[in-house]
């Protein structure tokens, strides 16, 4: 808290803006120390400058005027995803949101951006102070409190967004909590809250599916190929007839696959002309069967998330590869085959086999100007090695 106090002064913020615009951080440390600034202030300024640089991935230009903790940045919602959360609340007619577990204010920024009044609450004093700074341009209409979610009177708020702490307490080195019972606040408390008002809740994508309430819409979200969250929606925020959704965001585009329940897988079939790898959000939502039917494809092997077919089609929900040939599984023969095809750049995909792609690539001793994709998997007890080419969407 002392570093934050030193930073939140006109002088501290001026120095931060200067350090943020300087590419050579080591030089900036030396310059600030030579100018007589305290080690505490120098540490705070340089630390924030580095965090702002990292934060641009999640917040874009907004990061240039925000403050962060390392843990808060890691757990913060990416701004494009937060914007989708905000639109859902707005479209449900909600005008006042209690953002419980607000962190450094990522979702609250998006709520404010669509004209919703926000109460941002965080149990950590430093994190709440950073949220207050980040949300200051949106006052009035925004309030920040240092409090536990369970202690907040929600009578005046017609919607709730909840992002429970899923890591140990702290601002730098924290560890992921493996048991949802240890989240703060506990998920069962949040599920109980959903009975009284519309509620949206952010969880890790690996949350135990058996614990998802039957009346919740479960939406897995991926951004540029990485599954970043599971959002649960209750009450008027849950769309009628939808209980499973996979939202795929790539660049500026967002595409969603929805269903009333888990989709049964398509039947397995022989290797076709194409292999499709479903997006992680589709796998988590258990909607592989929906995608397979749309692509006229079958499972390459039961229980393994590869589809195969002969139709020259693809979709935003898969990465598609055109099969070139089946290669030997033996390491020596495989390396020889790849070198004879002058493949020097190799993407390695694997499912259902215990292989370290980095180690394998090194042992193959590749060389040549060509490129390709190696898909390693199994069909029953038989290992399958396929050379393929990625198909552009």
């Amino acid at each position: 808290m002392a570093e934050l106090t030193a930073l939140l002064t006109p002088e501290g913020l001026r120095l931060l803006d200067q350090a943020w615009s300087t590419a050579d951080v080591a030089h900036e440390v030396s310059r600030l120390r030579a100018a007589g600034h305290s080690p505490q202030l120098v540490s705070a300024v340089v630390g924030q400058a580095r965090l702002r640089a990292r934060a641009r991935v999640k917040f874009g230009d907004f990061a240039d005027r925000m403050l962060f903790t390392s843990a808060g940045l890691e757990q913060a919602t990416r701004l494009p995803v937060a914007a989708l959360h905000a639109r859902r609340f707005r479209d449900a007619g909600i005008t006042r949101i209690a953002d419980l577990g607000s962190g450094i204010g990522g979702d609250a920024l998006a709520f404010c951006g669509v004209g919703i009044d926000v109460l941002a609450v965080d149990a950590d004093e430093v994190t709440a102070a950073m949220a207050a700074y980040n949300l200051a341009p949106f006052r009035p209409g925004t309030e920040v409190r240092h409090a536990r979610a369970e202690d907040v009177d929600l009578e005046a708020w017609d919607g709730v967004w909840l992002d429970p702490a899923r890591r140990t307490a702290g601002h730098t080195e924290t560890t992921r909590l493996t048991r949802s019972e240890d989240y703060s606040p506990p998920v069962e408390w949040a599920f109980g809250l959903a009975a009284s008002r519309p509620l949206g809740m952010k969880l890790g994508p690996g949350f135990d599916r058996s614990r998802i309430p039957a009346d919740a819409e479960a939406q897995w979200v991926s951004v540029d190929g990485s599954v970043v969250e599971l959002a649960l929606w209750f009450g008027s925020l849950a769309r009628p007839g939808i209980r499973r959704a996979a939202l795929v965001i790539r660049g500026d585009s967002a595409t969603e696959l929805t269903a009333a329940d888990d989709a049964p897988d398509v039947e397995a079939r022989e290797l076709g002309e194409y292999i499709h790898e479903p997006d992680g959000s589709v796998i988590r939502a258990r909607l592989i069967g929906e995608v397979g039917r749309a692509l006229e494809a079958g499972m390459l092997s039961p229980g393994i998330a590869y589809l195969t077919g002969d139709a020259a089609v693809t979709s935003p929900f898969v990465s598609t590869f055109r099969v070139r040939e089946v290669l030997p599984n033996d390491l020596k023969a495989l390396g020889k085959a790849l070198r004879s095809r002058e493949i020097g750049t190799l993407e390695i995909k694997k499912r259902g086999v215990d292989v370290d792609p980095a180690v394998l690539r090194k042992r193959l001793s590749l060389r040549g100007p060509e490129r390709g994709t190696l898909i390693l998997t199994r069909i029953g007890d038989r290992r399958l090695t396929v050379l393929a080419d990625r198909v552009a969407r």
Side-chain angles (χ1 to χ4, degrees):
M1 194 68 179
E3 280 195 1
L4 180 61
T5 301
L7 188 63
L8 288 177
T9 62
E11 177 69 0
L13 294 172
R14 182 183 66 79
L15 292 174
L16 173 57
D17 288 340
Q18 290 176 351
W20 168 229
S21 62
T22 301
D24 189 345
V25 174
H27 173 77
E28 188 64 14
V29 170
S30 299
R31 188 188 70 79
L32 290 172
R33 287 177 176 170
H37 297 292
S38 70
Q40 192 174 64
L41 179 57
V42 172
S43 175
V45 167
V46 173
Q48 280 299 314
R50 287 173 171 159
L51 288 171
R52 278 186 174 181
R54 286 169 46 198
R56 290 186 66 85
V57 173
K58 287 188 173 183
F59 292 96
D61 293 342
F62 283 90
D64 296 0
R65 63 147 310 276
M66 295 175 68
L67 296 180
F68 305 93
T69 65
S70 179
L73 175 58
E74 182 177 347
Q75 296 175 68
T77 305
R78 295 165 186 254
L79 201 53
V81 179
L84 294 174
H85 297 160
R87 287 175 203 154
R88 187 181 289 236
F89 277 95
R90 181 196 60 192
D91 293 347
I94 291 169
T95 60
R96 291 173 60 78
I97 292 177
D99 181 356
L100 306 179
S102 64
I104 52 90
D107 279 293
L109 282 172
F111 297 147
C112 294
V114 297
I116 297 175
D117 290 344
V118 180
L119 168 65
V121 177
D122 202 274
D124 180 78
E125 185 177 7
V126 171
T127 303
M130 298 227 169
Y133 177 85
N134 294 336
L135 297 171
F138 297 96
R139 294 174 184 160
T142 302
E143 178 187 351
V144 179
R145 286 186 204 166
H146 166 222
R148 293 193 326 144
E150 301 94 314
D151 297 333
V152 177
D153 182 356
L154 298 173
E155 185 64 31
W157 306 92
D158 56 353
V160 172
W161 174 250
L162 180 62
D163 185 357
R166 299 182 298 281
R167 301 186 72 89
T168 54
H171 308 125
T172 52
E173 298 300 324
T174 62
T175 57
R176 192 176 302 280
L177 295 169
T178 57
R179 302 192 321 148
S180 57
E181 298 93 318
D182 297 329
Y183 294 174
S184 179
V187 292
E188 297 302 333
W189 176 84
F191 293 159
L193 188 62
S196 63
R197 55 184 36 80
L199 181 141
M201 184 176 182
K202 174 182 171 181
L203 293 167
F207 182 76
D208 182 355
R209 295 172 106 263
S210 68
R211 298 186 63 191
I212 297 174
D215 61 340
E217 176 192 330
Q219 180 190 52
W220 284 264
V221 182
S222 74
V223 178
D224 296 330
S226 297
V227 187
V228 296
E229 70 172 47
L230 163 63
L232 298 183
W233 303 100
F234 298 86
S236 61
L237 295 168
R239 293 169 291 184
I242 296 176
R243 288 296 175 265
R244 298 290 180 263
L247 178 61
V248 177
I249 300 173
R250 294 186 183 275
D252 295 329
S253 68
T255 313
E256 190 176 31
L257 181 66
T258 62
D261 206 342
D262 296 356
D265 285 346
V266 286
E267 294 293 321
R269 55 152 289 172
E270 294 294 319
L271 176 65
E273 294 184 28
Y274 296 90
I275 292 177
H276 308 283
E277 181 182 37
D279 183 85
S281 63
V282 173
I283 297 171
R284 294 279 191 182
R286 295 187 185 168
L287 298 179
I288 297 173
E290 291 285 327
V291 175
R293 282 178 276 276
L295 296 175
E296 302 175 32
M299 303 297 293
L300 183 56
S301 180
I304 295 180
Y306 281 131
L307 296 161
T308 187
D310 297 318
V313 293
T314 187
S315 89
F317 303 111
V318 298
S319 296
T320 296
F321 305 87
R322 182 182 288 106
V323 174
R324 197 187 300 186
E325 58 186 312
V326 176
L327 294 181
N329 297 318
D330 175 74
L331 177 66
K332 186 176 180 180
L334 176 60
K336 182 178 179 180
L338 292 170
R339 289 190 296 275
S340 72
R341 291 154 179 78
E342 298 187 305
I343 293 177
T345 303
L346 187 67
E347 176 188 26
I348 300 177
K349 311 285 292 183
K350 57 121 181 178
R351 287 191 183 279
V353 293
D354 185 15
V355 174
D356 184 330
V359 172
L360 175 60
R361 188 180 291 106
K362 185 176 181 180
R363 295 180 67 187
L364 288 171
S365 301
L366 301 173
R367 56 179 177 269
E370 301 300 317
R371 63 177 59 237
T373 298
L374 197 66
I375 299 174
L376 307 173
T377 187
R378 60 176 174 80
I379 300 177
D381 295 331
R382 177 171 63 90
R383 183 159 164 171
L384 180 69
T385 301
V386 177
L387 180 62
D389 298 299
R390 183 179 280 272
V391 176
R393 287 188 180 84

